[in-house]
Amino acid sequence: MLIVLPGALPASPPIADELAKRLPSTAPTLHAWLRAADARASHFDPHEAGCTPYEAWQLERAGFQPAPGQQIGAGLGPLLAPGSTAAKRNAETTFETSPAAGPAPVWIADLTHVALSTESANLLPLEALALNAEEGAALFAAAQPLFEGTGFAAQPLEPGRWRVQLPADLHPRIASPAAVGGQSLSGWWNQDAAVRPWRRLMNEIQMVWHDHPVNEARAERGLPPVNTLWLYGGAAPWRDMSVAPSSQQTQLIEDLLPAFAAEDWGTWLNALQHMDSRVLRPLSDVRGLPLRPVELLLLGRDRRVDLTLKPRSRLLGWLPSSAKNWSAWWSPRA
C-alpha cells in the first residue's frame, strides 16, 4: 500500500523543529512509523519544475513526460483542462488544430487575487477565493471583449478557471499558482519581452475588474477581490491522460493540504491528529507499527520523502528495535 500525504513537510526549519516536538503526542502513530521507516529524502525545485512536488507526483502518475527543455509543470494544462463536459467540448472546438500540426498546447489561466504591499506582492490562489459560478461567469463576460484582436482567446472551463490560447510562437515558462502561492512574486514574474502582449492584456482586464459589481459585492462580504489572472501549463495533451493502473493500492490523503498552503500550523496540527487516528491507526498494531508493508510519501513545498515500512516478524516483534533519526530529514539544514 502507498499512502500519499501532500502538505506533510513544513519548509521552514524553525517551524519544523517546533512541530517535531509535538509529533509524539499529536500523531503517535505517524511518529512510530517515522522512527521505524527507511527514508529517502529528495530536494525539489519548484522554480525549475514549474509546480509543487504534489503536482509533479500527480503528473507522473498520469503518465506525463515533459518534452526536452519543458517544465514538468507544463503538463498541468492538459491535466486540468477538462473541467466540465460542455466546457471541454467548447474548448476543443475553439482551439482545434490540424492533424499535421498536432494537438494545441493547453494553457490555463486561473482567476486570482494579488495582494500588494510596500515590500512585496503575494498571490492568493483560486481555491482560496470562494468564487461561485455566477461571479466567474460575470467576470469572464466582462473580460471576453478585450481578447478580440490580441492573438489570445479564452474559454471558461469552470468557475475561475479558463483555457487560454496563446500565439503559436509564445511559450513562456510560468509556475503554477500552487507553487507561487503564499510567497513574494518578485522571484516568479516572467520578465521576457515576448510576454509583454499578455501582460498588456492583463492590465486591461485588471482595470475592467477593478470596480466590477462582482468585486464590489465581494468587498461587502469581506472577501478579497479577483484582480488578475495567472497563466500556466503549456503542454500538449498526451496519448493517455488517465491514471496508469497499478498493482499497488494507493491512498491519497489531502487533510493537511489546506492548512499547509495557508501556513496555519495550529489547524495543521489538528488535521494531523485526526488523520493519524482516522487513517494510520487502523493500519497499525498495538505498538503503532504497520500490520503490513506500507510505503509513505510525504510531500512539502520543495522536497519529498519516500518511506518504506515492513512489519517485524512475530519472533522479533516485541524486541526493542533501533529508531531511525527521522529528525535529520524532517527539519533539514542547508
Side-chain angles (χ1 to χ4, degrees), residues 223-308:
L223 296 174
V226 180
N227 58 13
T228 193
L229 291 167
W230 189 266
L231 181 73
Y232 60 107
W238 53 98
R239 184 179 298 274
D240 183 4
M241 294 173 58
S242 60
V243 175
S246 173
S247 58
Q248 185 179 39
Q249 180 185 356
T250 300
Q251 193 170 2
L252 172 61
I253 311 297
E254 294 184 317
D255 298 24
L256 306 177
L257 200 54
F260 175 85
E263 297 187 354
D264 181 351
W265 302 114
T267 301
W268 186 89
L269 282 170
N270 288 335
L272 182 69
Q273 184 177 41
H274 291 301
M275 185 278 299
D276 191 79
S277 60
R278 180 177 65 86
V279 178
L280 303 186
R281 184 68 190 123
L283 301 174
S284 306
D285 59 22
V286 294
R287 298 159 300 162
L289 298 178
L291 293 166
R292 57 173 173 151
V294 173
E295 292 182 17
L296 193 63
L297 175 58
L298 308 183
L299 299 166
R301 183 174 288 278
D302 60 0
R303 58 200 175 103
R304 60 179 283 171
V305 177
D306 295 82
L307 301 122
T308 303

Side-chain angles (χ1 to χ4, degrees), residues 79-109:
L79 192 69
L80 298 177
S84 68
T85 303
K88 180 181 178 184
R89 182 167 57 249
N90 291 339
E92 288 174 345
T93 301
T94 303
F95 304 140
E96 185 178 5
T97 58
S98 66
V106 181
W107 294 94
I108 299 293

